[in-house]
Amino acid sequence: MSQIQLLPAVEKFLSQPGRLFIGGTWQDAAGGRRFAVENPASESSVAEVAEGDERDVDAAVAAARAAFTGPWAQHSPAQRGLLLFRLAELLDQHREELAQLITLENGKPIANARGEAASAANIIRYFAGWPTKIEGSTHPVSPASGAPMLNYTVREPVGVCALIVPWNFPLTMCVWKLGPVLATGCVAVLKPAEQTPLVAIRLVQLIEAAGFPAGVVNLVTGLGAHTGAPLAGHADVDKIAFTGSTQVGRLIAQAATGNMKKVSLELGGKSPNIILPDADIVRAAKGAADGIFYNQGQVCTAGSRLYVHASVLDQVLEELQRHAAAHVLGPGLDPANSMGPLVSARQLGSVRGYLQRGQEEGAELICGGDRPAHLERGHFIQPSVFLDRAERACVAREEIFGPVLTVMSWTEVDELVLRANDSPYGLAAGLWTRDLRSAHRVAAQLKAGSVWINCWNVVDPASPFGGYKQSGWGREMSKNVIDAYTETKSVFVDLA
């Protein structure tokens, strides 16, 4: 099957240079610089966008502050909800357009990009219901004076929020953060990853079309050092929300100490996936394969450590090889392909380095391990499986962010849990079993923010998402995230 034809709207969008959006105005970067956006499947440039710097960050933060204290503050909760519902409808109407942009700049198969675009509308629709439900409370206080007192609390928006999002789910990560920002009455400066700015630009165009006041959402595209860093440390930013690597998360947290801004971090993972001997092995092996090969393994929750009971190890390895071999690698715009490229040459180099080091450190390569021979261009890598009996190789310990699975065997449950938890990360974990008692017992002992039983990577806007340990601070989604974007004010009234 040949590649799908780009929509005329997408071709028109790509023909126009991407610009910054500050204070309701589309504009070039202050320094006049631009950078190219690459299609990772062809290694060719598909568009150029503005390369912002500290001056643009300052202007965007000032515009956000003006909107927060001005027109946006006059919008009632019901009006905010109506605007979010309108945005969700626009996302639905432009779903195919958004999906094509995602695949062009990220590389993922078009079917996965369409799913991401559909999910984005649902997430915004979920948060559209929140503005009228952010409530305070009254408290039966007992002051020492004995005077009658009324005490109540109100929830107020934090203020100017810096949103720094990654490239692996370039639309989803934007709406995960913009949803609660807009629902609570905050304002935003959005900084997308330099690898995937296009769908963020189109999203902000739809936000403008939905009727949000100028300055409520501002967009600054550019490189991390020149835009992300000054945004994280900006003295007039009240909160920063970041999704990305744990290494960069540490830098974000340090930068936030200048004015003690609120911080939420969704960081890396090395998630354990466990197959108990009584599991449906065919189903579990497929779930394990999908858990690591989906999105080319470029998922923070990727099930990259697979613990298989020794009694079913050979059967699971055979199934994993079958699933890896079934993947068809190629450009994501061809619907026949089930696995696209990695996002960049740098990411490809990193994954290939892990594949080489894993073998040097004693892990047994079961399948994959290199670039596919039939693809001369593009940042493609074969889905790969290691068996590491000693569990000491780097591929069993470090986050790879590629389609690389490391399998280990086990025999005793208590030892298994210790091994599964022996990681600086704690983002996700999973297990496969037919025994309900075993499922709950093991799940209770796993140190992870999400635990999936007989499934993997199930995420819903009504359920909190985040990690233990070095996988992050705070939670995305659900009612939990509303706390991250609001301040609680306690008010005492003397009734004497």
Side-chain angles (χ1 to χ4, degrees), residues 116-134:
E116 181 172 347
S119 173
N122 290 335
I123 291 165
I124 291 296
R125 193 169 287 113
Y126 169 82
F127 282 109
W130 264 108
T132 56
K133 300 168 187 66
I134 301 172

Side-chain angles (χ1 to χ4, degrees), residues 270 353-354 357-358 361 388 392-400:
K270 189 69 177 175
Y354 273 110
R357 284 177 55 202
E361 294 173 4
D388 187 4
R392 294 190 184 129
C394 62
V395 291
R397 310 296 301 173
E398 300 175 22
E399 184 176 36
I400 300 173

Side-chain angles (χ1 to χ4, degrees), residues 5 86 117 125 296 317 399 453:
Q5 188 71 31
R86 192 175 299 159
R125 193 169 287 113
Q296 298 72 251
L317 288 174
E399 184 176 36
I453 300 173

Side-chain angles (χ1 to χ4, degrees), residues 58-324:
D58 287 342
V61 171
R65 178 64 65 189
F68 180 66
T69 57
W72 191 229
Q74 307 308 314
H75 278 62
S76 70
Q79 289 173 318
R80 296 201 305 271
L82 182 62
L83 287 171
L84 282 164
F85 277 120
R86 192 175 299 159
L87 175 59
E89 292 303 310
L90 288 172
L91 289 171
D92 273 335
Q93 292 170 22
H94 296 271
R95 183 182 302 176
E96 180 65 14
E97 183 183 338
L98 294 165
Q100 290 185 9
L101 289 173
I102 291 169
T103 294
L104 273 172
E105 61 182 349
N106 170 276
K108 68 179 64 180
I110 188 64
N112 293 352
R114 287 169 177 155
E116 181 172 347
S119 173
N122 290 335
I123 291 165
I124 291 296
R125 193 169 287 113
Y126 169 82
F127 282 109
W130 264 108
T132 56
K133 300 168 187 66
I134 301 172
E135 303 170 338
S137 57
T138 59
H139 304 271
V141 295
S142 304
S145 66
M149 288 279 181
L150 169 66
N151 175 243
Y152 63 90
T153 59
V154 292
R155 304 278 289 280
E156 298 179 342
V158 167
V160 177
C161 302
L163 313 178
I164 302 179
V165 299
W167 45 258
N168 58 336
F169 292 95
L171 180 58
T172 299
M173 293 295 99
C174 286
V175 298
W176 270 31
K177 291 172 171 51
L178 283 170
V181 163
L182 300 173
T184 55
C186 292
V187 292
V189 178
L190 175 65
K191 192 277 177 193
E194 54 261 36
Q195 297 88 346
T196 55
L198 300 180
V199 77
I201 294 173
R202 189 67 187 106
L203 169 63
V204 173
Q205 289 177 348
L206 296 178
I207 289 172
E208 181 185 23
F212 286 86
V216 171
V217 176
N218 303 274
L219 173 71
V220 180
T221 55
L223 308 183
H226 300 148
T227 53
L231 188 55
H234 202 286
D236 202 29
V237 167
D238 302 301
K239 176 190 166 53
I240 183 164
F242 170 77
T243 296
S245 71
T246 297
Q247 179 183 6
V248 175
R250 291 192 183 97
L251 298 176
I252 296 285
Q254 292 169 6
T257 60
N259 67 337
M260 297 301 291
K261 58 175 62 69
K262 287 178 173 288
V263 179
S264 56
L265 303 170
E266 197 267 283
L267 306 176
K270 189 69 177 175
S271 300
N273 202 356
I274 298 164
I275 298 180
L276 274 63
D278 69 308
D280 179 335
I281 299 304
V282 173
R283 180 184 175 193
K286 182 182 187 307
D290 291 345
I292 184 63
F293 298 147
Y294 171 67
N295 208 45
Q296 298 72 251
Q298 298 170 135
V299 185
C300 55
T301 55
S304 53
R305 289 189 290 151
L306 182 63
Y307 291 93
V308 182
H309 192 270
S311 64
V312 294
L313 177 62
D314 291 342
Q315 183 182 355
V316 170
L317 288 174
E318 182 178 338
E319 288 289 316
L320 291 171
Q321 291 179 74
R322 183 172 66 83
H323 286 295

